Amino acid sequence: MEGMSGPHVIRGSVSLPEAELMWRFSRSSGPGGQHVNTSDSKVELSFDLAKTEALPEVWKQRALERLAGRLVDGVVTVRSSEHRSQWRNRESAAVRLAALLAEATAPPPKPRRQTRIPRGINERRLREKKQRSETKRGRSAQGWN
């Protein structure tokens, strides 16, 4: 398939294998005038996440867990119809799928290490609170008779 810009990298040296991508085209609603009625510019790109060999096993399990709500029989599908040309919609769908897989296969964030608030900072905060309280209490009309 010439014309498509290179392999769509997910992360590092891992990219979307062109052989495992399933394309479907249909007529798109949206911009295009009379042209829209005659050309199949809407693109559906499917990728069988459950059966792929392109992803490391750890990534695959992570993606299957995180995308469980989007999967139909282990297949993730991305649609694109925002452009008038099929080629640009294909590019858009491939980029979107690569980004989706990159996010789904990302390692979980490191757990947050709890830190203590230094005693000096806490004491200063309480001192300022007390001072503010005194200021406000001094504004009340109490004892002005």
Side-chain angles (χ1 to χ4, degrees):
M1 147 103 250
E2 75 283 349
M4 290 287 281
S5 67
H8 294 281
V9 176
I10 296 173
R11 192 168 54 254
S13 62
V14 180
S15 59
L16 284 173
E18 194 63 47
E20 292 185 25
L21 300 178
M22 294 164 282
W23 300 92
R24 241 181 80 208
F25 308 102
S26 57
R27 298 213 172 120
S28 171
S29 61
Q34 294 167 335
H35 170 72
V36 81
N37 302 325
T38 59
S39 64
D40 293 341
S41 59
K42 180 180 178 181
V43 172
E44 272 186 32
L45 174 58
S46 300
F47 179 67
D48 197 337
L49 193 53
K51 293 182 183 153
T52 187
E53 297 295 320
L55 298 178
E57 198 55 39
V58 180
W59 287 20
K60 193 155 101 170
Q61 290 309 318
R62 217 181 274 157
L64 285 169
E65 266 175 43
R66 292 183 182 167
L67 297 175
R70 283 193 69 151
L71 298 178
V72 177
D73 298 330
V75 177
V76 64
T77 303
V78 174
R79 292 174 189 81
S80 177
S81 61
E82 61 262 8
H83 301 291
R84 285 179 61 168
S85 86
Q86 185 190 95
W87 186 82
R88 283 179 67 193
N89 281 330
R90 288 176 76 131
E91 281 291 298
S92 172
V95 167
R96 204 177 295 163
L97 180 64
L100 181 71
L101 289 175
E103 192 178 314
T105 58
K110 288 182 183 168
R112 181 185 175 274
R113 258 183 52 206
Q114 282 195 330
T115 55
R116 283 187 55 232
I117 298 171
R119 190 168 44 186
I121 289 178
N122 209 17
E123 286 173 356
R124 186 178 70 203
R125 182 182 64 87
L126 293 173
R127 202 171 40 251
E128 286 171 358
K129 263 181 95 159
K130 197 164 277 186
Q131 196 175 359
R132 182 82 179 141
S133 164
E134 289 298 320
T135 304
K136 287 191 165 193
R137 211 164 51 151
R139 291 179 187 156
S140 71
Q142 199 175 16
W144 279 51
N145 310 10

